[in-house]
Amino acid sequence: MDAAQKLLKASAILLAFALLMAAPGWAVTLNVASTTVAIPVASRVSEPVSVTSSASPTTEITFATSINYAGDVAWLYVSGGNMTPASLQFTALNVGGFSATVHTATVTLTPSSPAGVAAVQITVTYNNTGGG
């Protein structure tokens, strides 16, 4: 009986170790269809960008959106939700007085649930130079 208990204990420890080692492979990720978006000057609205969970539909991801502007005033509006699956759309607002250059913003999607999901960044550009 003592040998059987030792074998059972060793098997349980081995199983626990194997599960812990495999856990990173089970990680849920936030996926975006594109990490770069160009907003057309004519419409000032981007094509929709799909945001999904790697574990959909069993595990959806709730995320917050923040915007960092590269030397510009706030000009970007993000719509489309804060939980996967989502379809984000980017709109250039108040750009009438902008200088003729490429304006860039970095949109960060920061997951809040479930825990441990990495943030994703999307670079959004608005090019009003007349050449793009």
Side-chain angles (χ1 to χ4, degrees):
M1 188 76 167
D2 192 35
Q5 286 177 337
K6 284 184 181 180
L7 180 60
L8 183 61
K9 184 177 178 181
S11 296
I13 291 171
L14 182 60
L15 177 62
F17 180 74
L19 289 172
L20 286 173
M21 294 306 290
W26 295 339
V28 177
T29 57
L30 186 63
N31 301 321
V32 294
S34 178
T35 57
T36 57
V37 174
I39 298 176
V41 173
S43 67
R44 295 187 182 172
V45 179
S46 74
E47 293 293 321
V49 174
S50 173
V51 181
T52 59
S53 166
S54 64
S56 183
T58 58
T59 304
E60 298 304 346
I61 301 170
T62 302
F63 58 90
T65 304
S66 61
I67 305 169
N68 182 27
Y69 300 95
D72 278 327
V73 297
W75 57 268
L76 184 64
Y77 176 70
V78 182
S79 59
N82 66 344
M83 178 180 233
T84 60
S87 182
L88 300 183
Q89 202 156 27
F90 304 90
T91 305
L93 300 175
N94 304 319
V95 293
F98 267 23
S99 60
T101 189
V102 178
H103 301 273
T104 303
T106 302
V107 176
T108 303
L109 309 181
T110 305
S112 57
S113 176
V117 179
V120 174
Q121 291 188 329
I122 302 170
T123 302
V124 180
T125 58
Y126 176 74
N127 182 352
N128 66 340
T129 61

